Amino acid sequence: MTDRRDFLKASLLGASALALAGKVEAATPLPAKGATGARVISTWDFGVAANQAAWTVLSKGGHALDAVETGVMVPEADLKNHSVGRAGYPDRDGHVTLDASIMDADGSCGAVAALEHIAHPIQVARRVMERTPHVLLVGDGALQFALEQGFKKEELLTPESEQAWKEWLKNAHYQPSINSEVRDYGKTGMPGGKDNHDTIGMLAIDASGRLAGACTTSGMAWKMRGRVGDSPIIGAGLYVDGDVGGATSTGVGEEVIRNAGSFLVVELMRQGRSPQEACQEAVMRIVKKRPNASKDLQVGFLAMNRHGEVGAFAIQPGFSYAVCDAKRQDGLLPSRSVY
Ligand code: SD4
């Protein structure tokens, strides 16, 4: 009965989501950036520092592809961040396995999934794109390729992450939480801050109007060994089409994959939706199929069209995104959400 009530609520939300979303203040979609200039956006609070690194490339007239690679390497290297790169929380067997993808405006793309021991999976993803005839390398094959390319094999499990994993093992209950602030600190009691969240997805448009995107994560903490999320799946966690725009996602990757989420957002923009409308429609498509979405599901999309216009939408509140352009280097905005 409760499920049915929730389902009806979700259906109604589908019809009136715009009105509901309007309740969130200060989340007005960013307008087009104008004919000139560059802009970079990325998911969550830690996107601010990542954007600033990307901006060092964009502000000098650099390529959007170089900007997004440079940008997402910041959270990949951040030891306080337990959801991206080194120090990411491991799978349930104690292995840190990383997922990443990168995509250029012309459809070129590369990705790695379940990659272990390499601190910057985004760089390996770019090598897959530029130096192989393939799009996605996984597991041992991805590691072998990375080592052949000269990347160093390293231990990515830090003492802090290992301790959190051992805490988790006491109950070994796998239940993805809505935002990782809850998952990471509510359950483990580890110290931490607001700026430690989930996957980083980044989209940039450079001064020449070229678009590119990147996405990198350690995935869901305590996942099954071999589990791959949406982030390295082109069309799910990331999609870019230079004629239209780009989109990226965060949250429960399985739901994003089931709905080809980022591809859907870009296709909706192609049909004339604004980035904001497209993100919202993609989220509502997921919510309609998930009667319990209000209780335990988080998915968020972030998008930018080829004019630099930005939109974001999530199931739950708490999803933030960072914006950086010539006017502001440290913008951080709350996403609109269904609930
Ligand atoms: C995944 N989407 O692996 C990623 C993780 C994430 O909030 O963003 N969590 O499913």
Side-chain angles (χ1 to χ4, degrees):
M1 185 63 185
T2 312
D3 282 358
R4 186 170 151 69
R5 226 178 286 131
D6 283 351
F7 176 74
L8 286 173
K9 193 174 155 204
S11 307
L12 287 171
L13 281 166
S16 61
L18 244 178
L20 275 172
K23 283 196 301 197
V24 181
E25 281 185 1
T28 314
L30 285 175
K33 63 178 183 48
T36 58
R39 176 174 278 167
V40 56
I41 59 174
S42 54
T43 54
W44 301 111
D45 309 31
F46 57 35
V48 173
N51 283 356
Q52 286 167 348
W55 189 250
T56 62
V57 176
L58 294 174
S59 59
K60 292 188 201 108
H63 198 297
L65 189 71
D66 296 324
V68 294
E69 181 186 11
T70 304
V72 302
M73 285 173 67
V74 172
E76 279 185 345
D78 183 355
L79 296 184
K80 291 202 210 81
N81 183 320
H82 297 297
S83 53
V84 181
R86 189 195 295 278
Y89 283 159
D91 64 18
R92 67 185 190 184
D93 299 328
H95 306 277
V96 179
T97 68
L98 304 178
D99 295 342
S101 62
I102 192 161
M103 191 161 189
D104 208 353
D106 66 356
S108 305
C109 52
V112 288
L115 174 62
E116 293 178 51
H117 303 300
I118 302 291
H120 287 295
I122 197 65
Q123 291 187 306
V124 187
R126 184 163 178 179
R127 297 281 177 96
V128 172
M129 173 175 115
E130 292 178 341
R131 301 193 187 178
T132 80
H134 306 305
V135 166
L136 174 62
L137 293 180
V138 307
D140 287 348
L143 176 60
Q144 181 185 327
F145 172 70
L147 297 176
E148 283 164 11
Q149 289 291 312
F151 290 91
K152 213 166 74 193
K153 188 170 179 178
E154 297 179 68
E155 178 55 75
L156 304 182
L157 186 68
T158 59
E160 201 186 28
S161 298
E162 189 173 8
Q163 191 196 326
W165 170 60
K166 286 183 174 157
E167 269 307 306
W168 176 81
L169 278 179
K170 289 180 184 164
N171 295 314
H173 175 59
Y174 179 73
Q175 175 63 56
S177 302
I178 282 170
N179 295 321
S180 73
E181 195 173 356
V182 178
R183 179 177 74 226
D184 292 349
Y185 304 119
K187 286 188 181 160
T188 65
M190 298 285 289
K194 234 158 68 77
D195 56 348
N196 186 1
H197 270 289
D198 301 279
T199 295
I200 184 150
M202 177 177 279
L203 301 163
I205 186 164
D206 62 30
S208 307
R210 295 171 297 205
L211 277 161
C215 189
T216 174
T217 187
S218 53
M220 289 298 187
W222 335 130
K223 61 196 173 187
M224 284 176 71
R225 180 137 179 82
R227 180 265 188 189
V228 170
D230 55 325
S231 306
I233 309 291
I234 297 297
L238 178 69
Y239 197 73
V240 176
D241 183 328
D243 293 338
V244 180
T248 188
S249 62
T250 184
V252 177
E254 282 75 2
E255 294 299 339
V256 180
I257 294 171
R258 285 183 186 113
N259 291 278
S262 291
F263 182 73
L264 174 61
V265 172
V266 171
E267 289 309 295
L268 290 168
M269 291 195 288
R270 194 192 305 278
Q271 291 165 22
R273 311 290 199 287
S274 68
Q276 182 62 38
E277 290 165 345
C279 289
Q280 186 164 316
E281 198 167 327
V283 164
M284 293 318 300
R285 190 138 345 154
I286 293 171
V287 166
K288 277 183 189 167
K289 293 179 191 163
R290 287 285 170 261
N292 288 323
S294 66
K295 296 194 187 77
D296 56 12
L297 185 61
Q298 176 63 309
V299 169
F301 290 107
L302 178 65
M304 179 157 67
N305 66 17
R306 68 189 176 91
H307 307 295
E309 211 181 340
V310 173
F313 203 77
I315 298 177
Q316 310 287 343
F319 172 40
S320 56
Y321 63 100
V323 182
C324 174
D325 54 25
K327 278 206 190 121
R328 58 183 145 184
Q329 262 87 70
D330 59 355
L332 183 66
L333 296 168
S335 164
R336 295 177 175 194
S337 61
V338 179
Y339 299 106

